[in-house]
Every structure is written in structure tokens, then in C-alpha cells.
Amino acid sequence: MPAQGKHRRTKSVSLSRGIAAVTTGGAVLALPVLGATTASAAPAHSVVAEKAVAPVSVTAQVNSVTKAAPAKHSVVAGETLSKIAREYSVGGGWKKLYEGNRKAIGENPNLIHPGIKLAIDAKAAAPSDAKAGKAAAPSAGRAATAERADRSERTAAAPVAQAAPAAAAPATYSNDLDGWIKESLAIMAERGIPGSYEGIHRNIIRESSGNPNAINNWDSNAVKGTPSKGLLQVIDPTFQAYHVPGTSTDSYDPVANITAACNYAADRYGSIDNVFGAY
């Protein structure tokens, strides 16, 4: 029983102290409790508030930067379309920037002059450093990488140089009547002397039978000391007067003889093709 009574007193005392704490010391004890509660709650409230405010501030900053992105860019020396497009994060890169400014730039996207104004896509953000809210220049490594990328883009965009056509090999002609006529025709074409293969061949067969060393020592010209010579039987005075520059000065030379005779025939008859007898 005493133990039971003691147990009951202990509960009673504990309860009384609890009540006393509420009644007699309520004003005193309540303040610390409330103060502790307030103090512990305040930091939680502040953290939540800060977390809620922070994104809004960042968003406002980004929106402010985006809205402040310039609508025009003035080109300075050393800039390229790819560099400007990358700086303003233009969707579609330098090609899109060129399409929007083709009239100002001209037909060559690789040639932009300092001072021209480029319209920047309204959706493009401000330069990358501005978006980050920092004015610091990129590191040397990033700058080098950007420069290599810029150089690669310019190389890709630059038109591919075409190899110069190989010089045509000089024409070769056979050392016979066919070759002599064809070579003479080529020279005549360069000099504007009329004549055809058939007209030349026909007159050669009649005059010398195709012998480049033929000479007439019996006609009136021979009597005068100027015998007819060569494939088309030309006397020396006529050969010298109608000699075509670039050919041999030897009247027996087949090509020189043909071109001089055709030049003379063109002057007197209009063309060697119009000659059908002695001329």
C-alpha cells in the first residue's frame, strides 16, 4: 500500500507540476515555448521563401536579357557570318543569318564588309556571355576551339577552286599530202583564209600530182627566171607577197606553199575552191 500511495503521489506531483507550469508559470513558460516554435519555424519559412523567389529572379534576368537582345549587329573587321551567328545563337547558323541579310551582304556570304548592319532573328538570344550575366571573355581553350570551328565553317562555305584546264596538246599531222593539207587548213582558219580540203587537194593533183619538189622549167614564168614551184606551183614573187607568217620561208615547204597559194587565190578569186585551171 505505501508503495501504491507513493506511486500515486508521484503521478500527482508530476501532474501538479505540469499544471503548475501551465497556471503559475504559464506566462513565463509559454513564451519560451512559443519563442522556440517561432524561431524554429522562421528559418524554414525563409528558406522556402528564398527558394521560391530565386527562380523568379533568374527567370526575370533571362527574360530581361532575351528581350534586350539587339535587333541589329554592326559588322566589324575580322568577323564572319558563322562567328556572328554563333555569338547570337542564331537558329540555323550562318546560313539562316545569310538568308535574312542576303540583300545587304550580296551574293558572296564569305565577303562581309565592316559597317554593314545585319538583322538578327528576334528569337535569337543575346551573346552567350550576356545570357550568363557575365562579361568575362571565354578561356583561351574555348576561344581556340571556336576559332577552329569558325575556320572550318568558312572553309566549307567557301567555293571550291576548280583546277585550271590542262593546256591542249599541240596537234600533230602526218608527213604526207593528207597531213600537209590538214595543217595548212588549221593555219588558214587562224588567219581567216578561206578554202576547203577538197578544193586544195583537187588543185594540187592538177598542178604537181602531189610532189612538193615539183618545178616547171619550160613555161613563160620559167623563161622569165621565176619558175613555178611546189605543190601548188607558186612563183617566188607570188610566194613572197602572200607568204603567211609562222610558216617556212622556203617555197618548196609543203605547208608554206599551200597556205601562200591559198592566200593568193583568196585575194584574186575569193577562194582556192573557185580555181579549176591555171591561175
Side-chain angles (χ1 to χ4, degrees):
M1 290 299 291
Q4 291 179 355
K6 184 178 180 180
H7 177 68
R8 284 198 299 274
R9 272 196 305 273
T10 303
K11 288 182 66 179
S12 175
V13 172
S14 176
L15 179 61
S16 298
R17 287 178 180 175
I19 294 172
V22 172
T23 56
T24 62
V28 177
L29 295 176
L31 288 174
V33 171
L34 291 176
T37 302
T38 304
S40 62
H45 175 73
S46 299
V47 171
V48 172
E50 289 176 2
K51 289 182 178 179
V53 171
V56 174
S57 300
V58 173
T59 302
Q61 290 176 2
V62 172
N63 290 339
S64 174
V65 171
T66 301
K67 290 179 181 178
K72 292 284 187 178
H73 176 84
S74 181
V75 176
V76 298
E79 286 189 317
T80 63
L81 289 182
S82 57
K83 181 178 180 181
I84 297 171
R86 186 167 56 253
E87 181 181 0
Y88 288 97
S89 301
V90 175
W94 71 268
K95 293 183 179 179
K96 184 66 176 179
L97 184 60
Y98 174 59
E99 290 174 3
N101 295 274
R102 188 186 189 104
K103 185 175 181 180
I105 297 171
E107 296 301 319
N108 188 353
N110 296 310
L111 186 61
I112 57 175
H113 300 285
I116 65 173
K117 305 292 185 181
L118 300 181
I120 305 299
D121 187 351
K123 296 181 181 179
S128 56
D129 287 341
K131 288 194 298 183
K134 298 180 181 180
S139 65
R142 289 175 56 195
T145 301
E147 179 61 24
R148 286 195 296 270
D150 179 52
R151 185 163 54 249
S152 298
E153 288 186 20
R154 281 181 291 166
T155 302
V160 179
Q162 295 183 350
T172 57
Y173 303 95
S174 56
N175 189 27
D176 54 19
L177 182 58
D178 178 71
W180 300 331
I181 295 176
K182 289 179 178 178
E183 185 174 355
S184 296
L185 285 170
I187 297 172
M188 290 163 58
E190 292 178 356
R191 299 287 179 172
I193 302 172
S196 67
Y197 186 99
E198 189 280 330
I200 295 173
H201 186 272
R202 169 170 46 81
N203 281 284
I204 287 177
I205 297 304
R206 186 191 67 251
E207 293 293 331
S208 65
S209 300
N211 178 10
N213 295 315
I215 183 172
N216 185 328
N217 289 316
W218 54 268
D219 66 3
S220 59
N221 288 319
V223 173
K224 295 177 182 178
T226 55
S228 301
K229 302 175 182 179
L231 291 173
L232 283 171
Q233 292 293 283
V234 183
I235 62 175
D236 285 341
T238 300
F239 177 81
Q240 293 167 6
Y242 291 93
H243 172 258
V244 176
T247 63
S248 173
T249 56
D250 181 3
S251 63
Y252 283 108
D253 180 85
V255 174
N257 188 279
I258 293 173
T259 53
C262 288
N263 194 23
Y264 163 73
D267 182 48
R268 185 165 183 177
Y269 304 101
S271 171
I272 191 69
D273 295 342
N274 297 331
V275 177
F276 292 91
Y279 64 111

